């Protein structure tokens, strides 16, 4: 119960939490009202960087959500050209993370990381279509246990300024393993083949738990 109310936080959050506590102390010395504002900011920083444990289905017949958030796209598209898949058709699910969602991302399936590619870019609102092509983003190309190509794309948002990658080329991942996080509002795209979607636009997702698609 304690871990649900006060989950651990991602290592990226410690420095921001220290800064917010320091700012709160300064604001409190100026006025009680400002101190309350600082306290609320500190609570939000802690909440933003939370990294709760999740219950993973552990079934290779499913893809699980890489992110907490809201499904904003379910469509068929060409694969991302950045990782050489532009000549293949994929289904794509896009999940928008607002600043109140957990921003730790997880792999939808077990498999091998074949390529990781970081692309610098702009900081448009992550819910815009052009964010997939123009924003700062990080690609993870995986091969699942059945030989299917699965691509997860972390896309920075309007105020995000850093994508944190915690995965290496050639790494073997289990379904639901953490792959990294994005700071302060963002989006995750999943490209996949040979699975059928189980979610619809507007649906809320939980990273590592919500079932996105099924073989």
């Amino acid at each position: 119960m304690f871990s649900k109310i006060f989950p651990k936080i991602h290592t990226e959050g410690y420095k921001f939490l220290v800064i917010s506590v320091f700012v709160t102390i300064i604001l409190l010395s100026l006025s009680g009202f400002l101190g309350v504002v600082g306290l609320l900011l500190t609570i939000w920083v802690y909440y933003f960087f939370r990294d709760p444990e999740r219950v993973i289905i552990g079934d290779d017949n499913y893809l699980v959500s890489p992110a907490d958030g809201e499904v904003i796209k379910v469509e068929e598209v060409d694969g991302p050209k950045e990782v050489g898949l532009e000549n293949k058709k994929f289904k794509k699910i896009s999940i928008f993370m607002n600043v109140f969602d957990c921003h730790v991302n997880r792999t939808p399936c077990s498999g091998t990381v074949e390529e990781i590619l970081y692309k610098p870019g702009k900081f448009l609102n992550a819910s815009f279509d052009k964010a997939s092509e123009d924003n700062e983003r990080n690609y993870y190309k995986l091969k699942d246990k059945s030989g299917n190509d699965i691509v997860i794309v972390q896309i920075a948002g309007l105020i995000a300024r850093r994508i944190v990658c915690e995965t290496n080329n050639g790494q073997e991942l289990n379904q639901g393993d953490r792959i990294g996080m994005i700071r302060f509002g963002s989006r995750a795209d999943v490209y996949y083949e040979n699975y059928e979607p189980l979610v619809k636009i507007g649906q809320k997702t939980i990273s590592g738990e919500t079932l996105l698609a099924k073989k």
Side-chain angles (χ1 to χ4, degrees), residues 10 14 28 37 57 68-69 75 80-81 92 101 108 113 120 148 210:
H10 192 276
Y14 287 112
L28 186 60
V37 172
I57 189 172
D68 288 18
E75 57 188 348
K81 61 181 181 297
K92 173 186 170 185
D101 289 317
V113 180
N148 297 308
T210 301

Side-chain angles (χ1 to χ4, degrees), residues 9-42:
I9 66 172
H10 192 276
T11 54
E12 282 287 311
Y14 287 112
K15 57 186 174 184
F16 290 97
L17 192 59
V18 169
I19 291 170
S20 63
V21 169
F22 181 70
V23 170
T24 297
I25 293 172
I26 294 176
L27 293 176
L28 186 60
S29 68
L30 298 175
S31 81
F33 174 75
L34 292 177
V36 171
V37 172
L39 177 61
L40 292 175
L41 175 63
T42 300

